[in-house]
Amino acid sequence: MGEPEGKLAVLNRVMRIPPRAIELLERAEKEMILFLNVRVDDRTVITADAFVVYHNTARGPAKGGIRFAPNLTLSEVRDLAERMTWKTALTGIPFGGGKSGIAVDPKSLTPYAKREIMREFVHLIRSELVTGSYIPAPDLGTGPREMAVIYGELHIPECVTGKPVAVGGVPGRREATGRGVATAARLAAQRMLGKEISECTVAIQGFGNVGSWTARFLSSMGAKVVAISDSKGGAFDGDGLDVEELSKHKAETGSVVGFAEEISNEELLSLDVDILIPAAVEGVLREGNAGDVRAKLIVEGANGPTTPEGDEILRERGIPVIPDILANSGGVIASYIEWRSAKSGSITSASEVYGTIDERIKLAFERMAKLSEERGISYRDAAMAIAVGEVVRAMEERGWI
Ligand code: NAD
């Protein structure tokens, strides 16, 4: 067999990946394309494509959220499933990578319709859920209520995570991803900027689940959050925004716009701050604007906020990027705690959840930083090398390669 090709082959600069492993990892292990047909009232039948992808399950069952999005495609679900493989491997969580989604606009659905769609989805993939082969969680467009529907259909506490606390969810799950992003930013500031987080200025794109909790935790750590945006625009205050007051403003008006000096999303991305946190959507740091970034450090709160072209520009400019597979892994770490508690019947506190997130992210961060410094490679390549190494080891142990 000759030199392998494809996106993982690039890691051969850093590590030797057996060609057979590359072959297995460059495609998803299992993909399901389903067609949903759900009656939601006397006059309305909703039809939609649904996808379930297991990228790799060598290290454990497929773990990953359920996304509701109008233009969802199989390739988007495939990409997200793969990220879950690396995220769980890097942080040492005993799960594989999976993801699922339904191509519907969640904003157009009544709560009843959403519930009926979830119930139908459970019926279609029932055996995957009952056997624990796929363990879903919330993603864009879904939340604890939808997870409660899954539990309600199956009555198996460990078959789904991200449930409401009243239905077996763990406290701290809602804020878990933001907690992890803030912890990753704190560690990166110390190591890469030689500064305490309390001495840093921060700009955050996105004020949804990830962005708002990241902002709250960073503020409580003493960081100065000078800019925050959402899909409608942003708010800027060089003296630091009051995140709690901003949350109230957003709850009242539907946006962060109007709370302080107005700033566009593009302007936010090029602010002169210590840390820039894209925590909204994918592909925002790209060829056309990566050259304008003035932040000294980027911490990826969203999945895939930097395009490969943008990444290359940031690398050439010497701006470190803490990759999503590390920075936003807090959610899946909390999911692991919920799954473990459900299996054992134990009770978990929010402080235990935060403690485990901080500990797992710190361990992974130190491994990543050490490898990056030793080998002179980017943090992203180092994180990927560690994650791929863990998955390859599992595949070897299982006799897959
Ligand atoms: P969310 O829907 O709660 O919030 C998204 C935020 O981004 C909102 O404030 C929205 O107004 C803003 N936004 C949307 N489009 C925008 C645009 N074009 N420009 C600027 N802002 C825009 O979503 P979330 O759960 O916070 O997820 C954000 C990202 O983090 C996604 O990439 C998601 O996959 C990823 N992520 C989420 C979790 C989690 O636990 N929620 C875990 C890991 C990764």
Side-chain angles (χ1 to χ4, degrees), residues 1-21:
M1 206 178 278
E3 277 301 302
E5 292 172 7
K7 61 183 170 178
L8 280 179
V10 86
L11 277 178
N12 271 328
R13 288 188 276 130
V14 184
M15 61 192 293
R16 185 78 199 140
I17 313 173
R20 172 87 183 115

PDB file of all heavy atoms in Angstrom, residues 1-21:
ATOM      1  N   MET A   1       0.845  -1.204   0.000  1.00  0.00           N
ATOM      2  CA  MET A   1       0.000   0.000   0.000  1.00  0.00           C
ATOM      3  C   MET A   1       0.878   1.252   0.000  1.00  0.00           C
ATOM      4  O   MET A   1       1.840   1.329   0.758  1.00  0.00           O
ATOM      5  CB  MET A   1      -0.884  -0.022   1.253  1.00  0.00           C
ATOM      6  CG  MET A   1      -2.154   0.758   1.084  1.00  0.00           C
ATOM      7  SD  MET A   1      -3.182   0.639   2.563  1.00  0.00           S
ATOM      8  CE  MET A   1      -3.990  -0.926   2.319  1.00  0.00           C
ATOM      9  N   GLY A   2       0.597   2.230  -0.869  1.00  0.00           N
ATOM     10  CA  GLY A   2       1.430   3.432  -0.950  1.00  0.00           C
ATOM     11  C   GLY A   2       1.124   4.391   0.195  1.00  0.00           C
ATOM     12  O   GLY A   2       0.430   4.036   1.137  1.00  0.00           O
ATOM     13  N   GLU A   3       1.659   5.607   0.098  1.00  0.00           N
ATOM     14  CA  GLU A   3       1.396   6.619   1.124  1.00  0.00           C
ATOM     15  C   GLU A   3      -0.095   6.943   1.138  1.00  0.00           C
ATOM     16  O   GLU A   3      -0.706   7.136   0.081  1.00  0.00           O
ATOM     17  CB  GLU A   3       2.184   7.891   0.825  1.00  0.00           C
ATOM     18  CG  GLU A   3       3.617   7.854   1.306  1.00  0.00           C
ATOM     19  CD  GLU A   3       3.734   7.630   2.811  1.00  0.00           C
ATOM     20  OE1 GLU A   3       3.181   8.422   3.578  1.00  0.00           O
ATOM     21  OE2 GLU A   3       4.367   6.631   3.208  1.00  0.00           O
ATOM     22  N   PRO A   4      -0.712   6.996   2.303  1.00  0.00           N
ATOM     23  CA  PRO A   4      -2.140   7.314   2.328  1.00  0.00           C
ATOM     24  C   PRO A   4      -2.411   8.750   1.899  1.00  0.00           C
ATOM     25  O   PRO A   4      -1.555   9.617   2.018  1.00  0.00           O
ATOM     26  CB  PRO A   4      -2.497   7.123   3.805  1.00  0.00           C
ATOM     27  CG  PRO A   4      -1.214   7.180   4.552  1.00  0.00           C
ATOM     28  CD  PRO A   4      -0.133   6.775   3.614  1.00  0.00           C
ATOM     29  N   GLU A   5      -3.616   8.976   1.391  1.00  0.00           N
ATOM     30  CA  GLU A   5      -4.011  10.324   0.977  1.00  0.00           C
ATOM     31  C   GLU A   5      -5.196  10.761   1.823  1.00  0.00           C
ATOM     32  O   GLU A   5      -5.766   9.970   2.548  1.00  0.00           O
ATOM     33  CB  GLU A   5      -4.422  10.307  -0.503  1.00  0.00           C
ATOM     34  CG  GLU A   5      -3.238  10.044  -1.414  1.00  0.00           C
ATOM     35  CD  GLU A   5      -3.678   9.833  -2.857  1.00  0.00           C
ATOM     36  OE1 GLU A   5      -4.862  10.016  -3.144  1.00  0.00           O
ATOM     37  OE2 GLU A   5      -2.800   9.483  -3.664  1.00  0.00           O
ATOM     38  N   GLY A   6      -5.586  12.027   1.695  1.00  0.00           N
ATOM     39  CA  GLY A   6      -6.764  12.488   2.425  1.00  0.00           C
ATOM     40  C   GLY A   6      -6.370  13.302   3.631  1.00  0.00           C
ATOM     41  O   GLY A   6      -5.203  13.498   3.923  1.00  0.00           O
ATOM     42  N   LYS A   7      -7.434  13.801   4.373  1.00  0.00           N
ATOM     43  CA  LYS A   7      -7.149  14.805   5.399  1.00  0.00           C
ATOM     44  C   LYS A   7      -6.358  14.270   6.591  1.00  0.00           C
ATOM     45  O   LYS A   7      -5.592  15.000   7.196  1.00  0.00           O
ATOM     46  CB  LYS A   7      -8.429  15.494   5.844  1.00  0.00           C
ATOM     47  CG  LYS A   7      -9.460  14.604   6.442  1.00  0.00           C
ATOM     48  CD  LYS A   7     -10.708  15.400   6.762  1.00  0.00           C
ATOM     49  CE  LYS A   7     -11.812  14.441   7.132  1.00  0.00           C
ATOM     50  NZ  LYS A   7     -13.036  15.053   7.498  1.00  0.00           N
ATOM     51  N   LEU A   8      -6.535  12.989   6.926  1.00  0.00           N
ATOM     52  CA  LEU A   8      -5.764  12.469   8.058  1.00  0.00           C
ATOM     53  C   LEU A   8      -4.305  12.233   7.704  1.00  0.00           C
ATOM     54  O   LEU A   8      -3.435  12.244   8.565  1.00  0.00           O
ATOM     55  CB  LEU A   8      -6.357  11.145   8.548  1.00  0.00           C
ATOM     56  CG  LEU A   8      -7.567  11.239   9.449  1.00  0.00           C
ATOM     57  CD1 LEU A   8      -8.025   9.851   9.817  1.00  0.00           C
ATOM     58  CD2 LEU A   8      -7.254  12.031  10.703  1.00  0.00           C
ATOM     59  N   ALA A   9      -4.052  12.011   6.401  1.00  0.00           N
ATOM     60  CA  ALA A   9      -2.692  11.698   5.980  1.00  0.00           C
ATOM     61  C   ALA A   9      -1.729  12.820   6.343  1.00  0.00           C
ATOM     62  O   ALA A   9      -0.550  12.583   6.584  1.00  0.00           O
ATOM     63  CB  ALA A   9      -2.665  11.442   4.479  1.00  0.00           C
ATOM     64  N   VAL A  10      -2.249  14.039   6.425  1.00  0.00           N
ATOM     65  CA  VAL A  10      -1.407  15.182   6.749  1.00  0.00           C
ATOM     66  C   VAL A  10      -0.772  15.009   8.136  1.00  0.00           C
ATOM     67  O   VAL A  10       0.327  15.471   8.406  1.00  0.00           O
ATOM     68  CB  VAL A  10      -2.236  16.487   6.617  1.00  0.00           C
ATOM     69  CG1 VAL A  10      -2.997  16.828   7.843  1.00  0.00           C
ATOM     70  CG2 VAL A  10      -1.364  17.638   6.196  1.00  0.00           C
ATOM     71  N   LEU A  11      -1.459  14.263   8.992  1.00  0.00           N
ATOM     72  CA  LEU A  11      -0.927  14.027  10.340  1.00  0.00           C
ATOM     73  C   LEU A  11       0.275  13.087  10.330  1.00  0.00           C
ATOM     74  O   LEU A  11       0.951  12.952  11.329  1.00  0.00           O
ATOM     75  CB  LEU A  11      -2.013  13.441  11.239  1.00  0.00           C
ATOM     76  CG  LEU A  11      -2.980  14.420  11.877  1.00  0.00           C
ATOM     77  CD1 LEU A  11      -4.006  13.655  12.679  1.00  0.00           C
ATOM     78  CD2 LEU A  11      -2.251  15.404  12.781  1.00  0.00           C
ATOM     79  N   ASN A  12       0.521  12.454   9.197  1.00  0.00           N
ATOM     80  CA  ASN A  12       1.691  11.585   9.108  1.00  0.00           C
ATOM     81  C   ASN A  12       2.996  12.358   9.288  1.00  0.00           C
ATOM     82  O   ASN A  12       4.033  11.773   9.549  1.00  0.00           O
ATOM     83  CB  ASN A  12       1.707  10.813   7.777  1.00  0.00           C
ATOM     84  CG  ASN A  12       0.942   9.503   7.928  1.00  0.00           C
ATOM     85  OD1 ASN A  12       0.932   8.905   9.005  1.00  0.00           O
ATOM     86  ND2 ASN A  12       0.292   9.074   6.874  1.00  0.00           N
ATOM     87  N   ARG A  13       2.910  13.701   9.177  1.00  0.00           N
ATOM     88  CA  ARG A  13       4.081  14.528   9.495  1.00  0.00           C
ATOM     89  C   ARG A  13       4.426  14.386  10.969  1.00  0.00           C
ATOM     90  O   ARG A  13       5.544  14.517  11.381  1.00  0.00           O
ATOM     91  CB  ARG A  13       3.752  16.010   9.246  1.00  0.00           C
ATOM     92  CG  ARG A  13       3.642  16.404   7.810  1.00  0.00           C
ATOM     93  CD  ARG A  13       3.516  17.910   7.713  1.00  0.00           C
ATOM     94  NE  ARG A  13       2.135  18.358   7.898  1.00  0.00           N
ATOM     95  CZ  ARG A  13       1.749  19.314   8.719  1.00  0.00           C
ATOM     96  NH1 ARG A  13       2.617  19.946   9.455  1.00  0.00           N
ATOM     97  NH2 ARG A  13       0.491  19.664   8.803  1.00  0.00           N
ATOM     98  N   VAL A  14       3.395  14.180  11.768  1.00  0.00           N
ATOM     99  CA  VAL A  14       3.539  14.195  13.216  1.00  0.00           C
ATOM    100  C   VAL A  14       3.669  12.794  13.781  1.00  0.00           C
ATOM    101  O   VAL A  14       4.397  12.549  14.725  1.00  0.00           O
ATOM    102  CB  VAL A  14       2.280  14.866  13.832  1.00  0.00           C
ATOM    103  CG1 VAL A  14       2.406  15.007  15.320  1.00  0.00           C
ATOM    104  CG2 VAL A  14       1.982  16.178  13.155  1.00  0.00           C
ATOM    105  N   MET A  15       2.932  11.874  13.208  1.00  0.00           N
ATOM    106  CA  MET A  15       2.866  10.523  13.754  1.00  0.00           C
ATOM    107  C   MET A  15       2.667   9.540  12.607  1.00  0.00           C
ATOM    108  O   MET A  15       2.208   9.909  11.542  1.00  0.00           O
ATOM    109  CB  MET A  15       1.685  10.414  14.719  1.00  0.00           C
ATOM    110  CG  MET A  15       0.362  10.685  14.011  1.00  0.00           C
ATOM    111  SD  MET A  15      -1.028  10.904  15.095  1.00  0.00           S
ATOM    112  CE  MET A  15      -1.212   9.292  15.804  1.00  0.00           C
ATOM    113  N   ARG A  16       2.985   8.297  12.867  1.00  0.00           N
ATOM    114  CA  ARG A  16       2.788   7.283  11.841  1.00  0.00           C
ATOM    115  C   ARG A  16       1.413   6.649  12.077  1.00  0.00           C
ATOM    116  O   ARG A  16       1.215   5.980  13.094  1.00  0.00           O
ATOM    117  CB  ARG A  16       3.932   6.267  11.965  1.00  0.00           C
ATOM    118  CG  ARG A  16       3.941   5.211  10.913  1.00  0.00           C
ATOM    119  CD  ARG A  16       4.495   5.706   9.575  1.00  0.00           C
ATOM    120  NE  ARG A  16       4.048   4.801   8.516  1.00  0.00           N
ATOM    121  CZ  ARG A  16       3.662   5.192   7.321  1.00  0.00           C
ATOM    122  NH1 ARG A  16       3.692   6.460   6.973  1.00  0.00           N
ATOM    123  NH2 ARG A  16       3.269   4.311   6.426  1.00  0.00           N
ATOM    124  N   ILE A  17       0.492   6.874  11.176  1.00  0.00           N
ATOM    125  CA  ILE A  17      -0.832   6.251  11.330  1.00  0.00           C
ATOM    126  C   ILE A  17      -0.885   5.073  10.369  1.00  0.00           C
ATOM    127  O   ILE A  17      -0.631   5.244   9.170  1.00  0.00           O
ATOM    128  CB  ILE A  17      -1.988   7.221  10.983  1.00  0.00           C
ATOM    129  CG1 ILE A  17      -1.785   8.586  11.649  1.00  0.00           C
ATOM    130  CG2 ILE A  17      -3.326   6.633  11.383  1.00  0.00           C
ATOM    131  CD1 ILE A  17      -2.793   9.644  11.204  1.00  0.00           C
ATOM    132  N   PRO A  18      -1.192   3.882  10.857  1.00  0.00           N
ATOM    133  CA  PRO A  18      -1.259   2.735   9.945  1.00  0.00           C
ATOM    134  C   PRO A  18      -2.254   3.021   8.800  1.00  0.00           C
ATOM    135  O   PRO A  18      -3.356   3.535   9.057  1.00  0.00           O
ATOM    136  CB  PRO A  18      -1.768   1.583  10.826  1.00  0.00           C
ATOM    137  CG  PRO A  18      -1.506   2.025  12.229  1.00  0.00           C
ATOM    138  CD  PRO A  18      -1.545   3.522  12.230  1.00  0.00           C
ATOM    139  N   PRO A  19      -1.875   2.725   7.554  1.00  0.00           N
ATOM    140  CA  PRO A  19      -2.765   3.008   6.416  1.00  0.00           C
ATOM    141  C   PRO A  19      -4.164   2.421   6.599  1.00  0.00           C
ATOM    142  O   PRO A  19      -5.161   3.028   6.235  1.00  0.00           O
ATOM    143  CB  PRO A  19      -2.046   2.358   5.227  1.00  0.00           C
ATOM    144  CG  PRO A  19      -0.611   2.314   5.631  1.00  0.00           C
ATOM    145  CD  PRO A  19      -0.580   2.155   7.116  1.00  0.00           C
ATOM    146  N   ARG A  20      -4.247   1.241   7.208  1.00  0.00           N
ATOM    147  CA  ARG A  20      -5.557   0.607   7.422  1.00  0.00           C
ATOM    148  C   ARG A  20      -6.418   1.458   8.382  1.00  0.00           C
ATOM    149  O   ARG A  20      -7.631   1.566   8.220  1.00  0.00           O
ATOM    150  CB  ARG A  20      -5.322  -0.799   7.979  1.00  0.00           C
ATOM    151  CG  ARG A  20      -6.534  -1.527   8.428  1.00  0.00           C
ATOM    152  CD  ARG A  20      -7.215  -2.303   7.307  1.00  0.00           C
ATOM    153  NE  ARG A  20      -8.429  -2.914   7.826  1.00  0.00           N
ATOM    154  CZ  ARG A  20      -9.651  -2.584   7.424  1.00  0.00           C
ATOM    155  NH1 ARG A  20      -9.834  -1.709   6.466  1.00  0.00           N
ATOM    156  NH2 ARG A  20     -10.703  -3.167   7.950  1.00  0.00           N
ATOM    157  N   ALA A  21      -5.752   2.080   9.363  1.00  0.00           N
ATOM    158  CA  ALA A  21      -6.485   2.943  10.302  1.00  0.00           C
ATOM    159  C   ALA A  21      -7.006   4.175   9.566  1.00  0.00           C
ATOM    160  O   ALA A  21      -8.152   4.600   9.776  1.00  0.00           O
ATOM    161  CB  ALA A  21      -5.575   3.359  11.455  1.00  0.00           C
TER     162      ALA A  21
END
